[in-house]
Amino acid sequence: MPGIGLGTWMSTRRADLQIAITAALEFGYRHFDTAFIYQNEKIIGDTLKDWFCCKRVKREDIFLTTKLPIAGLHEDRVESSIRQSLENLKMDYVDLYLIHFPVGSSVGNSRTPLNQLKLEMSDHNAVWKIMEQQVEESRTKAIGICNFTKKQIEKILNNCKIKPACLQIESHVFLQQKELVDFCQQNNIVVIGFSPLGNPGYNKFLRSIGKDGKQLPNGFKNDIIKGIAEKCKKTPGQVMLRYLIQRNIVPIPKSTNPRRIKENIEVFDFELDSDDLKKLEGLDLGEEGRILDFNFFSKQIRESPEFPFPEKRKESI
């Protein structure tokens, strides 16, 4: 199902986001991925409700994902968190509810500065048990996780009644995470890739929260990707999305530009050959290719034993 990511758009104007959602629906997108922290659940809910009322789509045609915030990562706060998201979205249920991050905060809401969040040790198994209850009580049809490590996933698998339906992670040609992807696919856990085109707007986000920008990998200017795109008569972005699809990863590209939104869904009419795949596989930079390292979180959060990423990385790529 073609999907679109609606993340880190806290500063996006309501009208721009409505235009983006409307364009996505018109072009055939049916999977919409958001989160409480993005501060856009209400806009998404209002826009989708308009389409339902006009009978342009039915609720059952839409696959809607939202996420448990890190301030909700406690067994006593899971239910209240999903109820708040459902109220924001004006929905009786979501199709997929994800734990957004494996580290919890004792305080915070969608407007708390990320560097002021306070660490709270969380029991993943206790939280997962309440996540399972949300399925049993029909607030969500499926549950999953984001940004978890293999070890953290194994802990849930060894104690759960309902397996995680998916793992959502950063995934693009420069950060391929093969071992983690293979582990999930071997355990029938769908891998969803955010930032599948890299994240050209990430530095704008960093500056908006008072952080310095950093050098980012750019697939749109990479000669190998550009060469494959020219051969396939496609754009570099379409090649990057197709690469994930052929690895059985669900990409959720993010854009507010209707032309880009249309372009991002036109990836089902071509295939990359074995030579293309080998060349793209060779672009993997491992951890040096990671864009969203979450170093904008408070030092306390980053020093948690559950923090999933290495603290140190090179700033140039």
Side-chain angles (χ1 to χ4, degrees):
M1 178 183 293
I4 186 168
L6 300 171
T8 57
W9 285 0
M10 285 86 89
S11 60
T12 300
R13 293 188 307 127
R14 180 184 182 93
D16 290 341
L17 186 50
Q18 287 175 319
I19 289 170
I21 296 169
T22 298
L25 286 164
E26 289 175 342
F27 294 138
Y29 288 84
R30 294 296 180 263
H31 176 191
F32 293 87
D33 180 279
T34 186
F36 176 79
I37 192 66
Y38 302 158
Q39 300 179 22
N40 59 20
E41 289 176 328
K42 290 183 179 180
I43 303 173
I44 295 166
D46 288 342
T47 306
L48 290 176
K49 183 180 178 182
D50 288 343
W51 275 64
F52 298 155
C53 290
C54 295
K55 299 184 179 179
R56 300 183 70 180
V57 294
K58 299 177 182 177
R59 171 63 184 93
E60 55 266 32
D61 295 331
I62 299 297
F63 191 95
L64 186 58
T65 299
T66 195
K67 306 178 185 79
L68 178 74
I70 70 169
L73 192 64
H74 188 279
E75 56 268 31
D76 292 341
R77 298 194 289 274
V78 173
E79 183 172 328
S80 61
S81 295
I82 191 172
R83 284 183 179 274
Q84 180 62 65
S85 286
L86 290 174
E87 180 180 336
N88 292 343
L89 291 162
K90 298 178 174 61
M91 301 289 171
D92 296 325
Y93 69 93
V94 289
D95 298 275
L96 179 62
Y97 195 57
L98 305 177
I99 297 176
H100 205 159
F101 203 71
V103 182
S105 171
S106 58
V107 298
N109 55 47
S110 62
R111 298 185 183 278
T112 302
L114 297 171
N115 61 0
Q116 293 181 19
L117 294 171
K118 304 297 183 183
L119 175 67
E120 178 180 67
M121 294 305 297
S122 302
D123 182 338
H124 289 170
N125 285 330
V127 169
W128 192 256
K129 183 177 180 180
I130 308 303
M131 293 283 286
E132 291 173 329
Q133 288 181 11
Q134 306 317 301
V135 178
E136 294 164 355
E137 295 174 15
S138 300
R139 296 186 187 96
T140 182
K141 291 190 173 183
I143 48 178
I145 47 186
C146 303
N147 303 300
F148 273 50
T149 65
K150 178 182 174 182
K151 182 177 179 180
Q152 290 166 338
I153 299 169
E154 286 177 324
K155 184 177 179 181
I156 290 177
L157 288 175
N158 290 335
N159 293 278
C160 66
K161 291 191 299 181
I162 302 174
K163 286 176 57 175
C166 73
L167 170 69
Q168 188 176 121
I169 53 173
E170 180 179 337
S171 183
H172 46 78
V173 292
F174 301 107
L175 179 67
Q176 299 186 22
Q177 305 202 68
K178 297 170 188 174
E179 181 180 351
L180 182 57
V181 169
D182 287 345
F183 169 77
C184 287
Q185 292 177 343
Q186 290 163 7
N187 284 277
N188 297 314
I189 297 172
V190 174
V191 179
I192 299 175
F194 67 78
S195 297
L197 303 175
N199 198 324
Y202 185 56
N203 278 335
K204 181 179 179 181
F205 165 70
L206 287 178
R207 295 185 184 104
S208 75
I209 59 173
K211 298 287 186 179
D212 292 332
K214 59 186 180 183
Q215 188 173 346
L216 304 175
N218 190 332
F220 294 96
K221 295 183 178 180
N222 181 273
D223 288 339
I224 290 175
I225 296 173
K226 287 165 63 178
I228 294 172
E230 183 177 353
K231 185 186 79 170
C232 295
K233 295 181 172 56
K234 288 290 183 177
T235 68
Q238 289 169 329
V239 168
M240 287 187 278
L241 293 174
R242 185 68 204 178
Y243 180 61
L244 294 188
I245 290 169
Q246 289 187 220
R247 292 182 63 210
N248 293 318
I249 295 172
V250 179
I252 46 172
K254 178 181 63 179
S255 178
T256 54
N257 184 313
R259 182 180 64 82
R260 290 282 191 184
I261 291 170
K262 183 175 186 293
E263 178 183 300
N264 289 341
I265 202 174
E266 294 175 339
V267 292
F268 299 102
D269 58 353
F270 78 108
E271 285 195 3
L272 302 170
D273 62 30
S274 58
D275 186 53
D276 298 332
L277 295 173
K278 185 176 181 179
K279 289 178 180 177
L280 293 169
E281 184 178 349
L283 295 177
D284 188 15
L285 297 173
E287 279 300 314
E288 296 304 322
R290 187 179 297 280
I291 296 171
L292 194 62
D293 53 19
F294 291 88
N295 281 338
F296 47 73
F297 276 157
S298 68
K299 189 172 187 291
Q300 189 183 39
I301 294 288
R302 297 198 309 272
E303 290 180 347
S304 165
E306 298 287 6
F307 192 78
F309 311 128
E311 177 72 14
K312 294 181 180 180
R313 69 186 298 277
K314 295 179 181 178
E315 287 303 311
S316 59
I317 296 175

